[in-house]
Amino acid sequence: MTPTPTPRPYSGLRCIGCGRAFPLAEIRYECDACPGLLEVVHDLDRLKAERDGAAWRILFDSRLAERGGPHKSGVWRYHELVLPDLPLDRIVSKPEGNTNLYRSPRLEGESRTREVRLKHEGENPTLSFKDRGMTAGVSWARHLGVAQVACASTGDTSAAMAAYAAQVDGMRGVVVLPRGRISVEQLSQPIASGCLTVSLPTDFDTCIRLLREVGRKRPIYLLNSVNPVRIEGQKSIAYEILQDLGWNPPDWIVVPVGNAGNISAIGKGLFDLKTLGVIDRVPRLLGAQAEAAAPLARAHREGYASRVRVRAGDTVASAIRIGDPVSYDKAVAAVRRSGGAFVSATEQEIMDAKALVDATGVYICPNSATAVAGFLKARAEGTIGEDDTIVIVATAHGCKFSQATIDYHGGRLAGVVPRLANRVVEIDAEAAAIERLLTDGEAGGPARRGGA
Ligand code: F0G
């Protein structure tokens, strides 16, 4: 009897530094031969031979009509481009993705730009874009039979990992968090999901360094974006944006940058689509950082002469408070290849941008607002032109960072002037007092007036 042949895998791991190849089924995050990051490489020639660009578009569009099953997810709709070797029945999904792409007349007016849209990734199940990478990472961990998954986090990766690991029988999650530097809503998420929640009196950069050290000695499966499988799921933001736009590329995609996994993933996804003939042009990428933690914006200004590491300072955009991004090299390569740029925004610019967008009924977080502020700056400086079409990725929901909203509108955010404040009006518990207030026309702050 002849044995059934093992199917030839579509994907493997490759070092971005020296090109050395490893099997995807091997648990590793680093190259043996050099300090390079690993990436997942799919056999794009084989995928190209299976379908041409139009046929891929038709396949993905046909799946939009599916009401159940794995392809209903905005990640697994693109299964063949995410993890083609993962059997569909191994997928751990909520399902995620399928987030709204909002046109923003308010931002178009404010910036005098033709078309501006916001892809609201805060509409994912755990309220951030991290669900896309995590459905890939946890599904792959389950496929490999991993019992323990772990991550260091500024709050959103941990929330997502905990919630996906909780779906898998026998999988235990560990999250390592910088004490006092994540929001209370984010902290509540791994606790609620039953994850081992560890808090260290230090910053994120140290948390991840320590966890990577432990990961070299113990059999834990790391689910930070240093794990290249996470990046594959994260690419689906780019796929969905393009599909949302009828496969017509915008001129720019703007992304807030912390550990730099997301912008690397979006870049990788866009270049996949171009190689497969699904799109004919790759949008330029604009990465936005908070001034207090902006190594990539500085590197851009300095012509990428050398790798920049900074000690991250305080910022209201706490999820991107990262001075030494793990995916630095991938992000620089993606942004440069796209003809894009990195910019930084001040605390004032971030919170004003947030109030502007929030007041249109699309509630975003300070990290997302950094991308909005970065866009406004790049537009004002002329990097982005008035006829350009823009998609800004809002990465998490405003409800995950309530304190920042309340502090800004209440005028209690240090160093920030509440220019667009919508103050809570405190009055006596009397009908007459409410009536007086309405008659005086005091209801609704300046941010609300003027409409969307
Ligand atoms: N926006 C939000 C809301 C985030 O949580 C993060 C990263 C980013 C933007 C930046 O994405 O790191 O891929 O460049 N949060 C990570 C975490 C670091 O641990 O949750 P990135």
Side-chain angles (χ1 to χ4, degrees):
M1 212 174 77
T2 46
T4 334
T6 326
R8 184 162 55 99
Y10 277 92
S11 318
L13 293 172
R14 187 175 60 195
C15 170
I16 67 162
C18 69
R20 184 175 281 230
F22 306 93
L24 183 59
E26 203 173 303
I27 297 180
R28 61 159 58 242
Y29 321 99
E30 286 157 359
C31 181
D32 285 337
C34 78
L37 293 169
L38 300 180
E39 66 174 351
V40 175
V41 280
H42 303 303
D43 187 343
L44 290 178
D45 288 338
R46 187 165 156 201
L47 293 169
K48 213 169 158 174
E50 286 173 5
R51 279 183 188 84
D52 66 12
W56 283 114
R57 291 194 296 268
I58 289 167
L59 177 72
F60 298 142
D61 287 348
S62 73
R63 289 178 179 164
L64 287 173
E66 290 182 27
R67 289 175 179 272
H71 294 142
K72 186 171 183 285
S73 153
V75 175
W76 300 109
R77 181 152 77 243
Y78 316 99
H79 171 238
E80 293 84 350
L81 310 190
V82 173
L83 286 176
D85 298 319
L86 179 74
L88 289 174
D89 63 2
R90 306 307 291 160
I91 287 173
V92 184
S93 173
K94 293 198 177 290
E96 46 293 310
N98 294 308
T99 56
N100 283 300
L101 183 68
Y102 296 100
R103 183 93 187 244
S104 181
R106 184 69 170 265
L107 284 177
E108 288 166 4
E110 194 71 25
S111 64
R112 288 179 293 104
T113 312
R114 188 157 65 101
E115 276 182 36
V116 182
R117 291 180 172 82
L118 284 156
K119 178 74 170 163
H120 200 346
E121 286 293 300
E123 296 175 346
N124 271 293
T126 76
L127 307 184
S128 90
F129 72 107
K130 300 288 184 181
D131 293 344
R132 291 181 186 268
M134 217 41 90
T135 183
V138 170
S139 298
W140 193 248
R142 179 190 181 202
H143 182 56
L144 297 178
V146 161
Q148 191 159 52
V149 293
C151 68
S153 180
T154 56
D156 289 325
T157 299
S158 43
M161 192 197 80
Y164 279 81
Q167 272 179 268
V168 183
D169 277 342
M171 190 179 281
R172 181 128 175 80
V174 184
V175 301
V176 178
L177 307 170
R179 190 174 309 160
R181 292 176 185 191
I182 74 171
S183 77
V184 68
E185 297 87 351
Q186 290 175 312
L187 176 62
S188 76
Q189 291 181 287
I191 297 174
S193 303
C195 194
L196 176 59
T197 306
V198 183
S199 144
L200 306 186
T202 185
D203 59 7
F204 170 82
D205 291 296
T206 307
C207 288
I208 193 164
R209 188 172 51 73
L210 296 177
L211 188 65
R212 285 181 77 175
E213 221 175 286
V214 175
R216 288 186 193 106
K217 297 186 198 137
R218 290 186 63 87
I220 48 171
Y221 190 65
L222 278 187
L223 278 173
N224 279 102
S225 52
V226 67
N227 182 331
V229 172
R230 282 260 326 276
I231 302 280
E232 293 310 295
Q234 218 60 68
K235 291 188 311 189
S236 62
I237 297 183
Y239 301 156
E240 236 181 48
I241 289 172
L242 268 296
Q243 190 168 25
D244 288 338
L245 294 173
W247 307 106
N248 295 311
D251 294 302
W252 288 90
I253 296 183
V254 190
V255 188
V257 174
N259 220 11
N262 198 32
I263 196 161
S264 309
I266 290 173
K268 188 167 190 278
L270 293 169
F271 285 107
D272 285 353
L273 292 183
K274 173 77 167 51
T275 305
L276 294 172
V278 178
I279 56 173
D280 56 8
R281 181 171 63 80
V282 168
R284 298 165 82 176
L285 292 171
L286 181 70
Q289 300 200 286
E291 214 153 77
L296 286 156
R298 202 177 102 197
H300 179 75
R301 279 197 309 275
E302 295 171 358
Y304 304 104
S306 58
R307 175 159 181 163
V308 178
R309 293 178 171 87
V310 302
R311 175 181 267 277
D314 257 345
T315 169
V316 69
S318 57
I320 53 172
R321 182 191 175 159
I322 297 175
D324 185 15
V326 164
S327 294
Y328 186 102
D329 293 335
K330 287 185 180 178
V332 167
V335 166
R336 296 186 81 180
R337 191 170 167 205
S338 78
F342 290 98
V343 288
S344 62
T346 64
E347 299 294 288
Q348 182 74 49
E349 289 165 339
I350 293 170
M351 287 313 288
D352 285 343
K354 174 168 150 55
L356 192 69
V357 173
D358 287 351
T360 69
V362 177
Y363 190 16
I364 63 171
C365 73
N367 315 288
S368 310
T370 307
V372 178
F375 154 67
L376 292 171
K377 189 170 260 181
R379 176 71 190 94
E381 287 169 355
T383 311
I384 292 180
E386 116 184 78
D387 286 327
D388 285 344
T389 52
I390 318 296
V391 173
I392 302 170
V393 180
T395 43
H397 203 282
C399 280
K400 277 194 151 191
F401 296 83
S402 314
Q403 199 61 51
T405 306
I406 290 169
D407 286 349
Y408 174 84
H409 290 283
R412 286 186 300 274
L413 208 54
V416 172
V417 181
R419 293 205 182 109
L420 301 170
N422 180 22
R423 286 181 201 280
V424 175
V425 184
E426 295 186 356
I427 53 173
D428 294 334
E430 288 167 5
I434 301 173
E435 232 175 286
R436 216 165 29 246
L437 183 70
L438 298 182
T439 315
D440 291 349
E442 279 301 315
R448 276 198 52 198
R449 290 196 278 270

